[in-house]
Amino acid sequence: MRGHIIRKILGVLIIFTPAFSYSGCKKQAKCGCDGDILYALTKEQATVYYNESGTSIQFSTLTDPYSQYYFCNPGEMFKIFTDNKYKTGDVLQVTGDVFWDCTYLSQSSNGSYQSYYKVYQIMVTDVTVDLYGKK
C-alpha cells in the first residue's frame, strides 16, 4: 500500500514539475527606432555614406565592417554633414543608441543560418571628425 502512494506522488510530481519550472519565453527586443535599445555607441569610428538629399545615411564601423547601421534621424543629422563639409565615405566618430532593424530581424528569423552581416538602426546624437585628437 505504501509503495502505491509513493508511485502516485511521483507520478503527480512528474506531471506538474515542468509546469512549475517553465520560466516562459525570452522576450525578444522590440525592433526599430522606437524599440528597445540594444547598446550605445560612443564616438565609434565609422565610414559614413549618405545620399545628396540626406534622406539616407548609413555606416559601418571600423571594428565590424560587416554590420550596417542606418540613421533613424538622417534629416536632422544631415545639417551637421553640410555645415562641416563632410563627404560621403569619410571616417567619422558616431555617437547614439542602437536598435535592431525590423527587416533584418524578420529575414534572419526565417533563415537557417547565422550571418556575420547584421543590420541596425541608430538614433544618432553626435557626429564628429575628431579622430586621433585632430580636428
Side-chain angles (χ1 to χ4, degrees):
M1 178 90 169
R2 190 173 179 173
H4 182 65
I5 293 173
I6 291 174
R7 276 187 275 156
K8 282 186 177 183
I9 291 172
L10 284 175
V12 169
L13 286 174
I14 289 172
I15 292 171
F16 288 109
T17 299
F20 292 114
S21 66
Y22 180 69
S23 61
C25 296
K26 182 180 176 189
K27 179 184 171 276
Q28 183 175 353
K30 284 178 30 183
C31 60
C33 294
D34 58 348
D36 296 329
I37 297 171
L38 293 175
Y39 55 90
L41 292 180
T42 304
K43 294 190 175 188
E44 184 73 27
Q45 293 184 16
T47 307
V48 181
Y49 299 96
Y50 59 90
N51 61 9
E52 289 182 19
S53 63
T55 56
S56 176
I57 305 174
Q58 65 191 55
F59 67 90
S60 58
T61 64
L62 299 184
T63 56
D64 183 11
Y66 296 107
S67 295
Q68 203 66 39
Y69 296 80
Y70 290 89
F71 280 38
C72 292
N73 52 344
E76 177 185 325
M77 299 310 294
F78 188 62
K79 183 163 176 36
I80 293 174
F81 286 82
T82 55
D83 289 350
N84 292 296
K85 298 183 178 155
Y86 298 151
K87 294 187 238 59
T88 189
D90 281 351
V91 175
L92 304 170
Q93 291 181 329
V94 180
T95 299
D97 293 327
V98 177
F99 310 90
W100 279 118
D101 180 82
C102 294
T103 305
Y104 166 78
L105 276 185
S106 66
Q107 289 174 352
S108 65
S109 66
N110 293 332
S112 60
Y113 67 94
Q114 288 291 334
S115 172
Y116 291 113
Y117 176 79
K118 293 185 171 64
V119 182
Y120 303 99
Q121 292 182 330
I122 180 168
M123 183 63 72
V124 178
T125 55
D126 192 28
V127 177
T128 60
V129 75
D130 185 24
L131 302 174
Y132 312 111
K134 299 177 184 177
K135 289 193 177 192

